[in-house]
Amino acid sequence: MALILSIGASRNLDELGYRITCELAELAGEGWQFGTRQQWLNGVHQFTCYLDEHPEGESPEEMALILRQYCARKLTDWILDVWEQELVEKRINSEYAYFSEEERRVIAEKATQILKQEEETSKEYIIYRVGRSQRILERMLDVLVTFGRVHIDGFLRFRLRDYLSSLSDSVDVAVDEYMMEKEYKEFVCLLRYFLEIQDTRVPIVHVYMRPGGFQLLDERGRPVNNEIVDGFHQDALQHEEICFEDLLISALVTVAPVQVVIHYTEGVQSNESMQTIQAVFGERLHYCPGCDRCMMIQDNRVLQR
């Protein structure tokens, strides 16, 4: 009887053990008989697989070595596909227990996406996954080929410290992103509240985007130059850290128009400030499909390039 491998872990190994046994029998071919043993000992799940019978003239030691290499790949995939998610959730529950259950779930999803970096169908994700898998596989092969035994918890703790560190980093980044998104949503809700309680000063406001600034016109093409908007422009002159996008949002909320029409949309709709205006004004916001004034602004920008 030759030992193929022995796996220990803090989690149940029934499904993994069954899958490995079936696949090894198919891989080895006829004449090879495998035996397995599963135990629960001192808080550790253990799965052992060994060669029970082998064809005459074949070397069980050589076959065991080949199968260990195959099992190393299966264990690597298992860590990435199954164990990784649990490690992420464990980190969140340990370090960020003050979040609600739903918030922790969202953070876990974000952390997983950060680890993947890109969608699974993208070339970037495939390259990243192969590189991460290869690093784990190399160390798993070193342990299994040499000893034929591995304790997954200990393997992660002592052989994959850099991997665990990357998991922790992904969780921390996910928390930061979640908090930023949460603060942004609260900010948008606050702006919506201010918009609703304001009296409409101008029914329709046309916003013309210009390099480093903007111009607000009413439905008759007259500048919206009340004391509120003028005050915002004075603030811009006195406080250089105030950007014109912030001033635009503040001016529009203060004027509280029934409709906002954004003119000259090239490169504008994806702008962060435009996304905020869209979130705040919703159905009130419209984009000009291209009027004479838009064409004039665009022609002037082309000439300035």
Side-chain angles (χ1 to χ4, degrees):
M1 183 175 67
L3 174 70
I4 298 177
L5 82 161
S6 179
I7 305 171
S10 60
R11 63 163 293 157
N12 191 285
L13 298 172
D14 290 350
E15 182 179 351
L16 176 67
Y18 176 77
R19 188 185 310 170
I20 286 178
T21 303
C22 294
E23 293 181 359
L24 290 188
E26 184 177 347
L27 181 66
E30 295 183 2
W32 297 90
Q33 297 294 325
F34 297 90
T36 61
R37 182 174 64 251
Q38 291 185 248
Q39 293 177 295
W40 167 254
L41 186 63
N42 297 325
V44 177
H45 293 273
Q46 292 184 330
F47 168 79
T48 304
C49 183
Y50 50 88
L51 277 172
D52 212 0
E53 296 181 12
H54 60 88
E56 186 177 352
E58 297 286 352
S59 170
E61 289 77 16
E62 290 182 2
M63 176 58 73
L65 185 61
I66 293 172
L67 296 181
R68 286 177 187 176
Q69 296 178 39
Y70 176 79
C71 289
R73 296 184 181 276
K74 300 301 295 184
L75 283 172
T76 297
D77 291 339
W78 184 62
I79 289 174
L80 290 173
D81 294 336
V82 177
W83 200 295
E84 181 173 275
Q85 184 65 28
E86 294 189 5
L87 290 171
V88 167
E89 293 174 358
K90 183 178 179 180
R91 162 76 176 177
I92 294 171
N93 293 333
S94 172
E95 300 295 327
Y96 300 101
Y98 49 84
F99 286 109
S100 69
E101 182 177 348
E102 175 62 19
E103 288 176 320
R104 294 198 298 270
R105 183 191 64 78
V106 173
I107 292 170
E109 290 178 355
K110 284 184 175 294
T112 301
Q113 287 303 315
I114 290 169
L115 283 169
K116 292 182 177 180
Q117 292 185 334
E118 299 290 341
E119 294 298 325
E120 295 187 5
T121 54
S122 72
K123 181 172 65 176
E124 290 81 2
Y125 169 79
I126 295 173
I127 293 174
Y128 178 73
R129 168 72 180 233
V130 168
R132 189 157 53 114
S133 174
Q134 187 63 31
R135 290 194 297 272
I136 298 175
L137 175 60
E138 289 173 356
R139 299 169 199 181
M140 182 67 75
L141 281 170
D142 183 47
V143 172
L144 275 187
V145 170
T146 304
F147 304 104
R149 302 174 183 273
V150 62
H151 190 288
I152 302 299
D153 300 73
F155 176 76
L156 289 167
R157 187 175 299 114
F158 299 109
R159 296 270 185 154
L160 293 178
R161 290 179 179 176
D162 54 341
Y163 171 66
L164 293 180
S165 178
S166 69
L167 293 184
S168 296
D169 291 344
S170 72
V171 170
D172 294 340
V173 172
V175 170
D176 290 341
E177 288 188 2
Y178 174 77
M179 290 304 299
M180 290 178 62
E181 291 176 5
K182 183 178 180 180
E183 291 171 0
Y184 175 76
K185 291 178 181 178
E186 292 174 350
F187 172 65
V188 168
C189 288
L190 183 62
L191 290 179
R192 285 177 179 170
Y193 171 74
F194 284 141
L195 180 64
E196 293 301 324
I197 65 175
Q198 293 280 47
D199 293 329
T200 298
R201 299 170 182 264
V202 182
I204 300 177
V205 171
H206 295 266
V207 181
Y208 293 92
M209 308 302 297
R210 295 183 173 183
F214 60 89
Q215 183 181 28
L216 303 184
L217 301 181
D218 62 17
E219 66 273 19
R220 296 184 181 181
R222 298 173 302 186
V224 179
N225 289 325
N226 58 34
E227 68 280 2
I228 300 296
V229 178
D230 291 341
F232 285 136
H233 285 291
Q234 289 297 322
D235 287 340
L237 294 175
Q238 297 174 9
H239 303 88
E240 295 182 359
E241 69 275 9
I242 299 178
C243 63
F244 83 90
E245 288 92 347
D246 294 337
L247 295 177
L248 172 58
I249 295 171
S250 298
L252 289 175
V253 170
T254 302
V255 176
V258 177
Q259 289 187 33
V260 177
V261 182
I262 305 294
H263 292 261
Y264 185 61
T265 61
E266 180 182 332
V268 170
Q269 288 182 332
S270 59
N271 184 283
E272 183 175 344
S273 62
M274 288 299 104
Q275 293 176 2
T276 301
I277 292 174
Q278 177 71 64
V280 173
F281 284 85
E283 295 181 355
R284 299 191 189 196
L285 184 65
H286 305 276
Y287 291 94
C288 174
C291 62
D292 292 341
R293 189 182 290 270
C294 287
M295 296 301 102
M296 186 181 303
I297 295 174
Q298 184 173 359
D299 291 342
N300 289 337
R301 290 189 178 183
V302 171
L303 291 174
Q304 292 172 2
R305 293 176 182 173

